[in-house]
Amino acid sequence: MSDEAIDNSEVENETPGELPLGDWHRAQGARMVPFAGYMMPIQYAKEAGGGIVAEHEWTRNSASLFDVSHMGQLMITGEGAAEALEALVPGAISSLKPGRVRYTLLLNEDGGVIDDLMVTNATEWIEGDEEAGTEGHWGEPAYYLVVNGATKWDDIGHLREHLPDEITMTHLDEQALIALQGPKAAQALARVMRGVPDSLVFMQSMTYDFGEWPLRITRAGYTGEDGFEISVPAEFAQSLADRLMAEIEIRPAGLGARDSLRLEAGLPLYGHDLDTETDPVSADLTFALTKKRRETGGWMGHAACAAKLSEGCASRRVGLVLDGRLPAREGALVFSGDTEVGRVTSGGFSPTLGHPIAMAYVGSDYVAEGTELEIEVRNKRLPARVAPMPFVPHRYYRGS
Amino acid sequence: MARYFTDEHEWIDVEGDLATVGITDYAQEQLGDIVFVELPEVGTVLEAGKDAAVVESVKAASDVYAPIGGEVMEVNDSLEEDPALVNSSPEEDGWFFKLTIADKSELEGLMDDKAYKAFVDGL
């Protein structure tokens, strides 16, 4: 039997680093693999209810704790930080209110995707002081970025190169990042941190002092479920993980389940569904190009994206559903009759739906929902249909 | 009946001129949740050490090799409906295929139960 390691977008040529929760995962019975330059848990021990499918289902039905400390956490500060970022991303940042989060993209001049990321307006409110006669006011503009682990060093280089000198960028490499995802994440977190979930809806973020631990909590995630991402100083990460795991709803989940969950949620994975050879329009991420900024421009890659918007693209990212059980995986070719029309960029078996699903880039004549196509897997042609994404409906909490 | 193992984590039961092949408990544990098994067709002539079947887990596809050469006489149809049998009963109900034994000497390079256990412990 061939033994294939976890599919990984990068060559692991250096010794993988250790993350703050590395030993914690091993104590939980995790199987560790090199990923994004670190040893990371792919799944947990079967005996403790682990395994990719079990962890996937637990996330859909209860709540799971994912360690995503490999992701890059950056803080961009200084007067004009929003405008400086807006020169590099197509999303509106200057209109982003404090405590609000936006998904956006780092693009190169050709409109190619350098990375996809979350930007939070982390500007703090400074309380007034009556005795000193000062009024409350907003502090220095600050933007908290979460970028992909495998690309963070390139992103940092790109930002350093293009942000003006008066803007400060700090790599928060002493922070761990824990994601709590699932329909019961809020009720579990409410027991640990009273009132916190009530203060947030999807794509909102706050700072919270949990005893002596200064946290940043964001209501977002990468599973399609309601959930939270908690940034915590590395020294407190294990204690926080233990504290969360004490809640009955919460079990740990690894990278394997994270990948199958995000695929069901129709969320692209950088290095697979997105890279510098793809652009936001082809990738079906036009929602990330703020409407007004499509006209006004002033962001890197604008001309290339504007051309795609007006003239259309040669190919587009679509969802595909397959019958049967045989999954089509990344790299599989897509056909319409005898014509090769595209390529699968992510694919696997959907535990929730019980059949295989995939994301592929296909020629723009074949993107209509319901289009019948075929995917070649080991010299066999599997019937597939273009389907709307997400494959499994999102259940984000947008307020009651 | 004698059972042998390969260093690719296949097992093979030999009974007279017929052998049954599957993957070991260690192999299924490494693969994780199995969602699909692609079996050879009855009548296919397999060669020792060459591709015989494919196992798709949630995460990846892995090839299964023929421990010895021979003609496929029967395949385990239950795996089509219930591939998870390979996880739950890898060395019994989750067998893959039966084949004729073309050359008994090919069995000589394989491990017995004890040797395979030591091999796995050393991984």
Side-chain angles (χ1 to χ4, degrees), chain A residues 275-338:
Chain A
D275 54 33
T276 50
E277 300 301 305
T278 60
D279 64 89
V281 186
S282 307
D284 200 26
L285 297 175
T286 43
F287 74 89
L289 314 178
T290 302
K291 277 214 175 73
K292 197 172 164 198
R293 303 198 75 218
R294 294 180 203 174
E295 274 83 69
T296 55
W299 40 278
M300 197 179 282
H302 171 249
C305 290
K308 297 261 185 204
L309 282 166
S310 62
E311 297 156 26
C313 327
S315 66
R316 224 177 66 210
R317 182 175 65 102
V318 296
L320 296 172
V321 297
L322 293 83
D323 302 329
R325 295 187 63 93
L326 175 55
R329 302 193 190 272
E330 185 177 6
L333 298 176
V334 183
F335 290 84
S336 173
D338 289 336

Side-chain angles (χ1 to χ4, degrees), chain A residues 3 60 129 137 139 199 249 264 293 310 341 351 362 364 399:
Chain A
D3 186 22
R60 288 265 179 259
D129 183 341
H137 61 280
S199 316
E249 298 92 343
E264 286 183 350
R293 303 198 75 218
S310 62
V341 299
V362 300
S364 45

Side-chain angles (χ1 to χ4, degrees), chain A residues 15-54:
Chain A
T15 310
E18 269 299 306
L19 290 167
L21 289 169
D23 288 338
W24 185 91
H25 295 301
R26 291 183 186 91
Q28 306 281 338
R31 184 184 304 169
M32 305 292 279
V33 298
F35 181 81
Y38 301 95
M39 289 309 286
M40 293 196 65
I42 176 123
Q43 63 181 78
Y44 293 82
K46 271 260 193 289
E47 299 74 51
I52 294 178
V53 170

Side-chain angles (χ1 to χ4, degrees), chain A residues 1-7 31 42-43 46 51-54 256 259-260 325-327 329 348-349 377-378 380, chain B residues 8-10 23 27 29-36 38 54 56-65 80 83:
Chain A
M1 193 191 84
S2 65
D3 186 22
E4 293 188 30
I6 178 176
D7 166 35
R31 184 184 304 169
I42 176 123
Q43 63 181 78
K46 271 260 193 289
I52 294 178
V53 170
D259 192 44
S260 51
R325 295 187 63 93
L326 175 55
R329 302 193 190 272
F349 188 82
V377 177
R378 297 192 289 273
K380 271 203 296 283
Chain B
E8 297 283 0
H9 309 286
E10 291 97 13
I23 65 169
E29 178 68 28
Q30 290 300 308
L31 286 169
D33 301 295
I34 289 161
V35 296
F36 183 81
E38 193 170 297
V54 183
E56 294 269 3
S57 70
V58 172
K59 197 64 222 164
S62 303
D63 293 318
V64 174
Y65 309 113
E80 195 172 337

